[in-house]
């Protein structure tokens, strides 16, 4: 049945994988925070590249190389438009969000973080936004500070402000939406607080850009990272946005071909932005596939996608709350929550629960979700997590609720 802002029945027809069965039941794919499914247009764009104009880019003058270069650079323009970046010079393709954060920690971090400096992150962060800073802090003898998260899944904003007033704090790196609790962090407010103290801000937008409108100029953040595979695109493509005045001062991360203008025996002149940061042959086919993914999302409208997820999340949480023995983690107010629900059911281990749900054809995630700092804070080793996207329906949520009740009965809860 069609209830939300999106024509989900129409959308589902574009995703071949949604026709498959798991354990003889229709697939219910609720693991979208890990990666999303791909529409035919994305699969076709990759196939078309390999079938019709497979060539390396930025080099040869033959027609296919020009076509490939054009398609690759068109994706960069679409990414810039999607996040309202002032220019394509500020958009760098990486392998994933993780590599994008590493690029910043290895270049900007190396040049700017010194002994006794402090880097501020939060207890909500994914390991990708923790480990690179731990390594940088060890190498530069700086310290890592955390903004606490409360029982409801919200950040302690007073503590955040206080930490930003510490004269040794040199960077805040923070996710816009938690991949575990779904918490939507007030990034704009944090950027303002940080910039008042001249502190740059890196936004881990891996869980926000795929799900809601994001505008780097409105946020005024200095760095932003996200991954194509979480927004209908292929794996192997990430994005790093960096404000131009910062990017212009950065030394290269990976070096070699394509990031150079001239190479002499003992010296090299680097290429213009953003190519200076894209050494070697990039993931051409998947960047081209990503273009089709952005088209698909833009056509639907990021506002409508957000509304659809709010509706599904509210519907699911309302039904889940009535299940005996369930614990929901994170904000209960859908205004402050993305389409991610972490929960536990009695003392059923999340892996057991995920296995039972798999028998019903339902794919959810169980484990620490690459957020062990957060798990420790909540005194948990694991949770189950359902996460939604454009092709999910309330009927699928009903199947999920029935399966949870089956599991509950099976375990005598
Ligand atoms: N940050 C957040 C909030 C994430 O959810 C993820 C992926 N789960 C990442 C970073 C890392 O993304 P990738 O594995 O694509 O680098």
């Amino acid at each position: 049945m069609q209830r939300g802002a999106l024509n989900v029945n129409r959308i589902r027809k574009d995703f071949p994988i949604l026709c498959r069965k798991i354990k003889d039941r229709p697939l219910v794919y609720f693991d979208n925070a890990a990666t999303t499914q791909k529409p035919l247009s994305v699969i076709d764009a990759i196939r078309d590249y390999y079938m019709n104009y497979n060539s390396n880019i930025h080099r040869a003058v033959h027609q296919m190389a020009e076509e490939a270069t054009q398609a690759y650079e068109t994706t960069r323009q679409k990414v810039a438009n999607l996040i309202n970046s002032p220019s394509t010079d500020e958009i760098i393709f990486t392998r994933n969000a993780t590599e994008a954060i590493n690029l910043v920690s290895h270049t900007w971090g190396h040049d700017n973080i010194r002994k006794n400096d402090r880097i501020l992150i939060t207890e909500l962060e994914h390991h990708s936004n923790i480990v690179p800073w731990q390594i940088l802090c060890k190498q530069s003898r700086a310290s890592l500070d955390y903004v606490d998260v409360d029982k409801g899944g919200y950040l302690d904003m007073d503590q955040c402000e206080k930490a930003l007033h510490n004269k040794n704090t040199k960077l805040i790196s923070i996710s816009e939406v938690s991949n575990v609790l779904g918490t939507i962090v007030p990034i704009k407010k944090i950027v303002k607080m940080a910039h008042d103290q001249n502190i740059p801000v890196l936004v881990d937008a891996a869980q926000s850009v795929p799900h809601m409108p994001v505008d780097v100029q409105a946020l005024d953040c200095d760095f932003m990272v996200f991954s194509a595979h979480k927004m209908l695109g292929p794996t192997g493509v990430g994005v790093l946005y960096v404000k131009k005045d910062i990017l212009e001062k950065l030394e290269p991360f990976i070096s070699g071909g394509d990031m150079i203008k001239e190479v002499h025996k003992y010296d090299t002149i680097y290429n213009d932005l953003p190519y200076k940061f894209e050494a070697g042959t990039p993931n051409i086919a998947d960047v081209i596939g990503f273009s089709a993914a952005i088209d698909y999302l833009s056509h639907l409208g990021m506002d409508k996608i957000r509304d659809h997820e709010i509706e599904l999340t509210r519907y699911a949480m309302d039904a889940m709350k009535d299940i005996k023995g369930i614990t929901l983690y994170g904000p209960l107010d859908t205004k402050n929550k993305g389409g991610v629900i972490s929960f536990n059911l009695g003392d059923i281990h999340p892996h057991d629960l995920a296995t039972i749900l798999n028998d019903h054809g339902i794919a959810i995630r169980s484990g620490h979700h690459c957020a062990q700092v957060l798990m420790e804070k909540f005194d948990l080793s694991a949770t189950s997590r359902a996460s939604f996207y454009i092709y999910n329906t309330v009927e699928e949520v009903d199947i999920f609720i029935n399966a949870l009740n089956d599991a509950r009965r099976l375990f005598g809860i």
Side-chain angles (χ1 to χ4, degrees):
M1 202 198 309
Q2 183 57 47
R3 299 190 203 181
L6 299 180
N7 185 345
V8 180
N9 290 341
R10 175 73 202 80
I11 289 170
R12 289 180 69 83
K13 295 196 174 87
D14 295 330
F15 290 80
I17 209 169
L18 297 179
C19 293
R20 81 161 281 187
K21 295 238 158 51
I22 302 286
K23 310 270 179 188
D24 272 341
R25 313 241 189 154
L27 165 68
V28 173
Y29 186 75
F30 281 177
D31 194 15
N32 293 287
T35 200
T36 60
Q37 299 305 337
K38 320 304 172 198
L40 209 49
S41 59
V42 168
I43 300 164
D44 282 347
I46 297 167
R47 190 168 184 274
D48 182 41
Y49 164 73
Y50 282 127
M51 293 279 288
N52 295 312
Y53 59 104
N54 172 44
S55 298
N56 213 326
I57 56 165
H58 296 152
R59 289 171 197 156
V61 294
H62 63 77
Q63 180 167 336
M64 292 201 306
E66 273 184 21
E67 286 171 11
T69 303
Q70 173 80 26
Y72 183 91
E73 290 304 325
T74 298
T75 310
R76 201 190 303 277
Q77 184 62 60
K78 285 180 187 170
V79 171
N81 296 347
L82 182 74
I83 61 170
N84 196 27
S85 167
S87 94
T88 49
D89 294 355
E90 295 162 297
I91 304 295
I92 296 161
F93 288 120
T94 60
R95 274 193 309 144
N96 45 41
T98 304
E99 186 177 280
I101 296 176
N102 275 268
L103 193 158
V104 178
S105 71
H106 281 267
T107 57
W108 184 91
H110 180 267
D111 287 347
N112 289 278
I113 299 299
R114 299 274 169 269
K115 188 177 166 196
N116 297 330
D117 284 347
R118 312 190 80 90
I119 294 172
L120 187 60
I121 60 173
T122 85
E123 291 177 336
L124 283 176
E125 302 314 315
H126 188 278
H127 295 164
S128 299
N129 196 28
I130 298 177
V131 185
W133 306 120
Q134 287 177 343
I135 291 172
L136 176 63
C137 284
K138 277 193 188 123
Q139 285 169 346
S140 52
R141 291 196 282 159
S143 309
L144 193 57
D145 291 330
Y146 284 85
V147 180
D148 288 348
V149 61
D150 67 18
K151 287 257 176 300
Y154 293 104
L155 292 181
D156 182 336
M157 291 297 285
D158 291 337
Q159 189 200 15
C160 182
E161 182 156 31
K162 216 167 141 200
L164 289 168
H165 274 87
N166 184 321
K167 68 174 183 6
N168 292 330
T169 301
K170 294 288 155 53
L171 173 75
I172 176 165
S173 187
I174 186 166
S175 50
E176 187 164 21
V177 176
S178 158
N179 67 312
V180 182
L181 304 178
T183 312
I184 298 176
V185 169
I187 287 291
K188 201 169 173 177
K189 189 170 168 187
I190 291 172
V191 172
K192 168 91 179 61
M193 281 169 13
H195 284 180
D196 284 349
Q197 309 304 320
N198 287 321
I199 297 169
V201 184
L202 185 151
V203 178
D204 174 354
Q207 299 291 349
S208 56
V209 166
H211 301 281
M212 56 190 67
V214 172
D215 179 332
V216 286
Q217 292 189 68
L219 287 179
D220 197 30
C221 59
D222 302 278
F223 308 92
M224 180 175 279
V225 305
F226 52 98
S227 285
H229 71 91
K230 291 182 197 285
M231 48 192 296
L232 309 183
T235 51
V237 179
V239 172
L240 169 64
Y241 158 84
V242 187
K243 260 189 194 165
K244 201 166 183 179
D245 57 334
I246 297 178
L247 196 56
E248 275 167 345
K249 290 184 206 126
L250 291 191
E251 288 296 315
F253 176 40
I254 309 279
S255 53
D258 224 28
M259 52 76 73
I260 53 91
K261 248 185 194 153
E262 288 174 33
V263 179
H264 305 285
K265 252 189 178 169
Y266 302 106
D267 209 5
T268 290
I269 300 171
Y270 302 136
N271 207 341
D272 296 330
L273 297 176
Y275 313 112
K276 177 177 161 186
F277 294 95
E278 291 179 9
T281 301
N283 189 350
I284 305 166
D286 292 316
V287 167
I288 290 171
F290 186 28
S291 185
I294 298 172
D295 285 345
Y296 198 99
L297 294 174
S298 304
H299 179 70
L300 295 179
M302 297 311 298
D303 275 319
K304 283 194 178 170
I305 292 170
R306 171 75 184 128
D307 288 346
H308 174 69
E309 289 184 23
I310 288 176
E311 187 187 346
L312 276 186
T313 308
R314 186 178 296 134
Y315 184 83
M317 284 203 301
D318 281 351
M320 288 170 85
K321 270 187 248 161
D322 294 335
I323 297 174
K324 200 172 149 205
I326 206 146
T327 309
L328 302 180
Y329 304 103
L332 298 175
D333 171 5
T334 47
K335 262 207 249 96
N336 299 310
K337 190 178 176 81
V340 178
I341 305 175
S342 263
F343 63 98
N344 274 317
L345 183 52
D347 55 9
I348 309 177
H349 193 281
H351 291 329
D352 293 335
L353 188 60
T355 306
I356 295 168
L357 263 58
N358 186 58
D359 289 339
H360 289 254
I362 305 167
I364 61 157
R365 187 59 160 264
S366 56
H368 56 56
H369 316 294
C370 296
Q372 281 187 300
V373 169
L374 184 65
M375 291 290 133
E376 275 173 18
K377 175 68 181 232
F378 278 67
D379 209 10
L380 293 165
S381 59
T383 68
S384 297
R385 180 186 72 184
S387 51
F388 309 123
Y389 210 29
I390 53 172
Y391 34 68
N392 293 127
T393 65
V394 288
E395 287 77 10
E396 288 182 314
V397 174
D398 290 339
I399 294 169
F400 168 66
I401 299 294
N402 282 338
L404 289 178
N405 275 315
D406 270 0
R408 178 181 61 75
R409 282 188 290 269
L410 194 70
F411 278 79
I413 298 167

